[in-house]
Amino acid sequence: MKDEVTREERVDNLKGLGCSRKRVEDARFTQGKGNYVDDIKLDGMLFGDFVRSPYAHARIKSVNSEPALKVPGVLAVLTADDLRPLGLHWMPTLAGDKQMVLADGKVLFQGQEVAFVVAEDRYAAADGIEAVEVEYEELPVLVNPHEALKSDVVLREDLVAEDGSLPDGAHGPRKHHNHIFTWEAGDREPTEEVLANADVVVEQEMYYHRTHPCPLETCGCVASMDKVNGKLTLWGTFQAPHAIRTVVSLISGIEEHNIRVVSPDIGGGFGNKVGAYPGYVCSVVASIVTGKPVKWIEDRMDNLMTTAFARDYHMTGKISATKEGKITALKCNVVADHGGFDACADPTKFPAGFMNICTGSYDIPTAFLEVDGVYTNKAPGGVSYRCSFRVTEAVYLIERMIEVLAIELNMDAAELRRINFIKKEQFPYKAALGWEYDSGDYHTAWDKALKTVDYAGLRAEQAQRVADFKAGKTRSIMGIGLSFFTEIVGAGPVKNCDILGLGMFDSCEIRIHPTGSAIARLGTISQGQGHATTFAQILASEIGLPADSITIEEGDTDTAPYGLGTYGSRSTPVAGAATAMAGRKIRAKAQMIAAYLLEVHDNDVEFDVDRFVVKGAPEKFKTMKEIAFAAYNQAIPGLEPGLEAVSYYDPPNMTYPFGAYVCVMDIDVDTGVTDIRRFYALDDCGTRINPMIIEGQVHGGLTEALAVALGQEIAYDKQGNVKTGTLMDFFLPTAWEVPNYETDFTVTPSPHHPIGAKGVGESPHVGGVPCFSNAVQDAFRPFGNKHTNMPHDHWRIWQMASKLGMHD
Amino acid sequence: MIPAAFEYYRPKDMAGVLSLLEKHGDDARVMAGGHSLIPMMKLRMADVPHLIDLQDVGGMSDIEISGDSIKIGALVTQTKIIDHAGLAEAAPILSEAALQIADPQVRYMGTVGGNVANGDPGNDMPGLMQCLNAIFTVIGTDGERQIAARDFYEGAYATAREDDEVLTAVIIPMPKGGYAYEKQKRKIGDYATAAAAVQIVSGGGACVSASIAMTNLSDVPVFSADAGAALVGTSVDEAALKAAVTAMLGDIDPTEDNRGPVAFKNHVAGIILRRAIARAWSRA
Ligand SMILES: Cc1cc2nc3c(=O)[nH]c(=O)nc-3n(C[C@H](O)[C@H](O)[C@H](O)COP(=O)(O)OP(=O)(O)OC[C@H]3O[C@@H](n4cnc5c(N)ncnc54)[C@H](O)[C@@H]3O)c2cc1C
């Protein structure tokens, strides 16, 4: 029988690397059988919810909980005064700052947590919230970071010494009481010198507006303190469950072995669920106080208004080039609006994330970046919304600067990119702002993209359209959006990446069962990425057992090995590498077992798909299934029984996925309505584990990119009121607004990753935002547009047309 | 997003509804599809201690088409309007408009009566009904009366219906000529940035009569008699279009919000109206 199975069939049976294996998660999700935090129901469970500030900046004169305690079903109301004796009225943020858990004397943003009402159910909690009486004294509001840096108004009195001096922040000296840090990369003077003497220089200010990851499932948790055994269990929407366990232990004093953190199914994260929120702390305290499990679940408005936002970068780029268009230098200054507390989720040494990838895909010899973080009266956060840390901002900056430079040089923007790309033979490439790009072949990808969309033909069509518009024959103009991005993902090497001192390695632990199936546990946690599908595929190819026989488990800190979680496209680069490495340990032991069973020397057998064969005698072999059984039923001299392995992987470098995107768009200049006619996305994420999942990730990332570019924003008025707090005003695209995406790829493996994979979940967002924006801006280029800020919603596009005199 | 506590009633007949309304006065509200009212209650912007569900009160779910008019029961859903073959024939503007309201899920629940009674300037049907010169039938303890759609709207959420009256039906004189409902919105499920309802009758190459109403461009729907009049007697040429738009702009009063500033809304209102007129004229 065995002999009838061909080698090809044996490969197919594994459903390993390269197979478009169907997602094993989907059976439960499509049948409504997922298990999300809000599905957890425990005996006697209570419900907690927040009294939130209606003001963006106010002093709290008093909080009267008495009326709330009279509401039927309300059991307790926690305020900062109740948390103070425990030292829990403030909590550390991931960025080295601290944040109020409950308002301690003042509030710094609209929606800030003021009191926590604990009740028998969420209805009683909602009534209790209405009954709490809070007396506020309004203070002047700062919603613009440039103004905040000049204002006398002190937002954070806690960060000013008694003598009025400013102690250093977590990232060095502070220039002003509303200033958080200055972060620099590259060389200031050489860059300025090149800029001063260049043939061509352009400077452009641009505002990358504040937006929000808005996962479909909001944030929440269930805390359950078992007073009998002293163990705290915390289920929650955590993108980094182990880090949460460590943080909870550090701030609560509960020993880490007595804390179990569980991330069940998570309905999307996109960075929103990385940080720690007051709801977690209050639920834990409430559970300790009441001795009952306490659930906290945000509603949509809470989520949009108070949990981690993204972007809000005021950027100024300055770029120089020769007359022929060869770029000589880039300078970038950023004023970063961090809101009331610095709760950015970035590796400790990178307060502006990996913004220093802003030289992009181009060989720019000299560069300098300076970022100033600023406090304002807005919600804290600053997460990487579907991108590695601040990479969307970086790529937007450079992809806009390229367009602006092309206008200045009167050059085609595709050609300008081509002549500045880092060449294939330059990899590994050391960029001016410090990173070492692992691999790339940009010219091949670019040529393929432009050829597929018939770039020359599109430009000809556009020229005709411009002529028609000017002749009064049409009111529709056409834009061709280009973007070529390089991501930096897979944080990261412990030597330069940590969060709260925890190195950003990741892990995998594998147990092979006697009958030849397996379970693998990882330090990451899927929020929709399909880890249970793809990590089993990596393992299948490494250990020769079918992916269908491998269970992947994540998210329970009592069972999973320590890891830093899932965000920044780090799962495949880091935990995926750990999986391959652990698999190789399994294979090494399996080799010894096989050799013993086949009565030959270890070196006389070799691995072949799903078995070890005697070299030169392929009819003599032991399958991995047979080897697994032997590991448990034979006494093999010199070998311990069992077949297990664990690997903690510290990556030697980041990985650098890249891609080439083209968007073709028609715009009605009278209504501002955009119509995306075509979107082509070529992604190079190195080795492709599951092409179907890659395609799904690309579709999702592009859709969120479309949202951000064309209308999604968290907007504030001058009083600090959130203007976009519901899904009526916060743009979340549906199938209706989304075009057909064409996906494509090239494969340039990462040289340092065990299987050459680079990560893809965020690339389409990073590359997509500038592509959609460039399409809009390109449509108006023939009419004089240089740069216009996103979001490009109807009225802003209309305004753009108006300013260019197109309505006259 | 949790409403304050309320009592829920589901009377079997109109007498039951009216007696509850009489008993609880201001504290009671009727509910049809609930897709405007429930969100308001959840946001705690509407406080309704006594909620009276109309779903079990019979006799308000029919569409009757007679020789010269159409009667639509208050509880007829937007979906039913879209699916009704007779209506598609008699008044195709109704389904053209209904298809631009919200999304299928909302349209399965949302009713014609709720949409016109709600009084939200964002609702599409009030403007549509003004264009069609519809009459609303309301019933109270003192009996039934009829109010013209063009007289119904007094301000945002303020209408000519008394608090203790229930709207039972909408009666539309049989529409004539070409029609169009044109709406610009930011995304699916959004209220209008600007919308126009147009009904035009042509004769001998000229416009014989025209009716025009605009949505979400004031705190009430705007029936612009002058805009319609500007078309009458013309061949709906550029000059007539300009005159109609100018007249309409004199009647609307948009405010700035997330959909854009006033200048933009005025501009888009003009464009939308032009397109609606052009489409209606092409069908006239
Ligand atoms: C996401 C979303 C998007 C939407 N988009 C649009 C849109 O684009 N355009 C649009 O027009 N609408 C839109 N709507 C509103 C929707 O069409 C509502 O269903 C409609 O406005 C109200 O109808 P209802 O039957 O749901 O009324 P309800 O919500 O039940 O009632 C609304 C109000 O009318 C009163 N009322 C209801 N019926 C009667 C009656 N028979 N007599 C007296 N008073 C009555 C109620 O007391 C209440 O004050 C949207 C709704 C949602 C949730």
Side-chain angles (χ1 to χ4, degrees), chain B:
Chain B
M1 300 296 253
I2 289 175
F6 57 87
E7 271 321 307
Y8 175 79
Y9 306 87
R10 203 174 169 110
K12 297 266 181 259
D13 52 29
M14 188 55 79
V17 175
L18 295 177
S19 76
L20 283 166
L21 281 173
E22 196 175 18
K23 181 165 167 207
H24 299 290
D26 262 5
D27 280 350
R29 287 271 276 279
V30 296
M31 177 177 78
H35 270 51
S36 286
L37 186 55
I38 293 174
M40 297 284 275
M41 290 169 66
K42 287 188 164 185
L43 290 166
R44 297 197 176 213
M45 284 158 77
D47 184 18
V48 184
H50 300 276
L51 185 68
I52 309 166
D53 195 332
L54 294 178
Q55 295 294 342
D56 281 355
V57 179
M60 292 192 287
S61 301
D62 296 325
I63 297 173
E64 293 161 37
I65 303 172
S66 63
D68 55 1
S69 71
I70 300 165
K71 184 177 170 199
I72 302 175
L75 286 187
V76 168
T77 62
Q78 291 144 16
T79 300
K80 195 161 170 193
I81 289 203
I82 294 164
D83 292 345
H84 197 275
L87 265 192
E89 186 76 14
I93 192 170
L94 291 174
S95 62
E96 181 160 304
L99 276 167
Q100 298 181 66
I101 292 179
D103 53 51
Q105 285 167 310
V106 173
R107 299 197 291 254
Y108 282 124
M109 295 302 294
T111 66
V112 172
N115 200 301
V116 298
N118 193 29
D120 185 322
N123 281 130
D124 287 289
M125 292 205 163
L128 176 66
M129 295 305 166
Q130 290 192 336
C131 167
L132 295 173
N133 200 15
I135 305 288
F136 302 153
T137 306
V138 299
I139 188 166
T141 32
D142 300 339
E144 217 173 66
R145 63 184 181 119
Q146 305 212 308
I147 310 169
R150 292 177 190 171
D151 299 329
F152 191 74
Y153 299 95
E154 296 169 346
Y157 301 102
T159 67
R161 181 183 63 86
E162 297 297 334
D163 282 345
D164 57 359
E165 286 176 320
V166 178
L167 195 150
T168 54
V170 172
I171 298 160
I172 302 167
M174 193 58 72
K176 292 193 203 76
Y179 66 93
Y181 193 81
E182 179 86 16
K183 174 176 176 180
Q184 177 164 341
K185 54 187 172 183
R186 296 170 298 180
K187 57 178 178 183
I188 206 73
D190 193 19
Y191 292 95
T193 300
V198 175
Q199 199 70 51
I200 301 186
V201 180
S202 84
C207 168
V208 175
S209 73
S211 175
I212 290 174
M214 308 297 291
T215 290
N216 219 11
L217 293 160
S218 177
D219 64 347
V220 289
V222 175
F223 172 70
S224 180
D226 291 349
L231 300 178
V232 176
T234 74
S235 59
V236 190
D237 53 7
E238 179 56 28
L241 284 171
K242 248 195 189 132
V245 167
T246 306
M248 176 276 293
L249 289 175
D251 289 339
I252 63 171
D253 182 19
T255 48
E256 172 165 354
D257 59 19
N258 286 332
R259 293 184 182 83
V262 172
F264 167 68
K265 290 192 174 179
N266 278 325
H267 188 105
V268 169
I271 299 289
I272 292 300
L273 178 55
R274 276 170 172 271
R275 289 180 187 171
I277 294 172
R279 196 160 70 239
W281 182 240
S282 75
R283 289 162 167 170

